[in-house]
Amino acid sequence: MNWKGVLPAITTSFTEDLRVDHSFLTRHCHWLLDNGCAGIVALGSLGEGAALSFDEKVEILRTCVSAVHGRGPVVASISALTTSEAVAVAKAAAEVGCDALMVLPPYVYHGNSREMKTHVATVFAATPLSCMLYNNPVAYGTDFLPEQIRELAAEHENFEAVKESSTDVRRVSAIRALLDRRLEISVGVDDAGVGATGWIAGLANALPRESVDLFHHGINGESDKAFELYRWFLPLLRMDTVPNFVQLIKLVQAEVGMGNSRVRPPRLQLIGGELEQTSRIIRDALGSRPQPAGSYALTSRK
């Protein structure tokens, strides 16, 4: 498993009756890979995993595996209310051909460190697939400290990566100090990426080429190019850091003609002044894109 590069946390597109749009999902996967993304991460928070049934999750993974067809890894996000449900999703992901798992702490219950370690360790042990730990204390109320990550790495050979979203820029260096290169570290907050070797990206759903370019400029030490692109991108990247990030990122997708803004309740589409303000920010950013749209593998609007 190669955890390096830009792996979009892919959104789940819905039809007008809020069923999963598998046809669009296939097209979206193709487009993301055509624009330089290294693989696909499905069923995460941005994919509205909490609003999907078990059967829907399995079918989405099946569609992604078929669409990617070996061009890159398909990573299944494993999130659930219970450990047994998380294990069932992990095993199903392995059965349909996913390459790796991104393991989240359980929804709702914010247990102590022993309970959270047991939960993710049980999922790690459920399959031989390469595993990434998703550490997002802001969203999930559970913080895996570097010392706890070291314990898990010592006990589970297939634990190979961390998606670090604590918003503490010192965390990457702290993990490196304890584990050196034992784990790959991806950033999961779109507006912060110091020291990471991968990016589980949100805005890549709508702007994959810009995301890939930004990542490569940073990795290659091209600071002037990176900061120029980052300054342009920042108003959009910040949309990945707020509670209604799914609605916001889907709005950007709709604006570039790659998706729609539909979400599943309890999420609701933006309305009124909030919609107007957000749409203005998006249009202003897209109106000053650093490269002409013709240089990107854009889809036609539908």
Side-chain angles (χ1 to χ4, degrees):
M1 175 63 195
N2 181 13
W3 289 104
K4 294 183 173 67
V6 176
L7 289 89
I10 195 170
T11 54
T12 300
S13 183
F14 298 115
T15 61
E16 291 185 3
D17 59 356
L18 295 184
R19 296 178 181 273
V20 177
D21 188 342
H22 288 274
S23 176
F24 176 81
L25 182 58
T26 296
R27 188 158 57 97
H28 197 195
C29 287
H30 291 166
W31 183 68
L32 293 170
L33 294 170
D34 289 345
N35 276 277
C37 294
I40 300 294
V41 180
L43 308 181
S45 306
L46 187 51
E48 297 178 72
L52 300 168
S53 71
F54 178 86
D55 289 342
E56 285 178 321
K57 290 181 178 182
V58 175
E59 289 308 308
I60 287 170
L61 295 176
R62 198 186 307 276
T63 295
C64 289
V65 169
S66 176
V68 172
H69 197 58
R71 294 176 62 191
V74 175
V75 181
S77 296
I78 307 300
S79 56
L81 289 171
T82 65
T83 304
S84 60
E85 181 186 358
V87 166
V89 176
K91 290 183 175 180
E95 290 171 2
V96 301
C98 290
D99 301 281
L101 308 176
M102 184 173 74
V103 183
L104 282 68
Y107 287 141
V108 181
Y109 181 60
H110 303 161
N112 61 35
S113 59
R114 180 176 66 90
E115 291 171 321
M116 295 301 97
K117 177 184 177 183
T118 299
H119 174 84
V120 299
T122 302
V123 180
F124 290 169
T127 80
L129 295 181
S130 176
C131 290
M132 166 180 276
L133 172 66
Y134 184 7
N135 187 42
N136 190 339
V138 177
Y140 299 116
T142 299
D143 193 1
F144 288 89
L145 301 175
E147 293 77 12
Q148 296 164 331
I149 291 172
R150 178 174 58 181
E151 290 180 10
L152 283 165
E155 296 167 7
H156 299 276
E157 186 177 353
N158 66 328
F159 173 30
E160 297 182 343
V162 175
K163 178 183 177 183
E164 178 50 56
S165 300
S166 66
T167 72
D168 181 354
V169 296
R170 296 169 297 180
R171 282 296 182 87
V172 173
S173 58
I175 295 170
R176 286 276 182 249
L178 291 177
L179 288 158
D180 194 22
R181 296 291 169 176
R182 165 66 177 81
L183 300 175
E184 295 293 344
I185 302 177
S186 291
V187 65
V189 181
D190 271 8
D191 63 348
V194 177
T197 57
W199 182 12
I200 311 298
L203 268 299
N205 280 280
L207 298 163
R209 178 55 59 184
E210 287 89 343
S211 300
V212 171
D213 286 350
L214 179 59
F215 177 81
H216 285 156
H217 290 330
I219 288 293
N220 295 331
E222 299 169 325
S223 57
D224 289 343
K225 292 181 179 180
F227 279 116
E228 181 182 359
L229 184 54
Y230 182 73
R231 280 192 293 268
W232 168 81
F233 215 164
L234 188 56
L236 300 177
L237 294 175
R238 284 176 172 155
M239 292 182 177
D240 187 60
T241 64
V242 292
N244 60 349
F245 71 118
V246 178
Q247 292 95 317
L248 298 176
I249 290 174
K250 283 191 168 184
L251 275 175
V252 185
Q253 285 186 248
E255 193 65 32
V256 301
M258 180 47 76
N260 62 66
S261 60
R262 289 187 285 268
V263 291
R264 270 191 180 171
R267 292 185 182 275
L268 297 175
Q269 296 181 60
L270 303 186
I271 59 173
E274 186 178 16
L275 175 59
E276 293 176 8
Q277 181 183 14
T278 302
S279 297
R280 184 164 51 251
I281 293 171
I282 295 170
R283 287 194 298 267
D284 288 347
L286 295 180
S288 60
R289 291 173 83 171
Q291 296 185 32
S295 66
Y296 299 92
L298 292 175
T299 182
S300 60
R301 287 178 176 269
K302 289 191 176 182

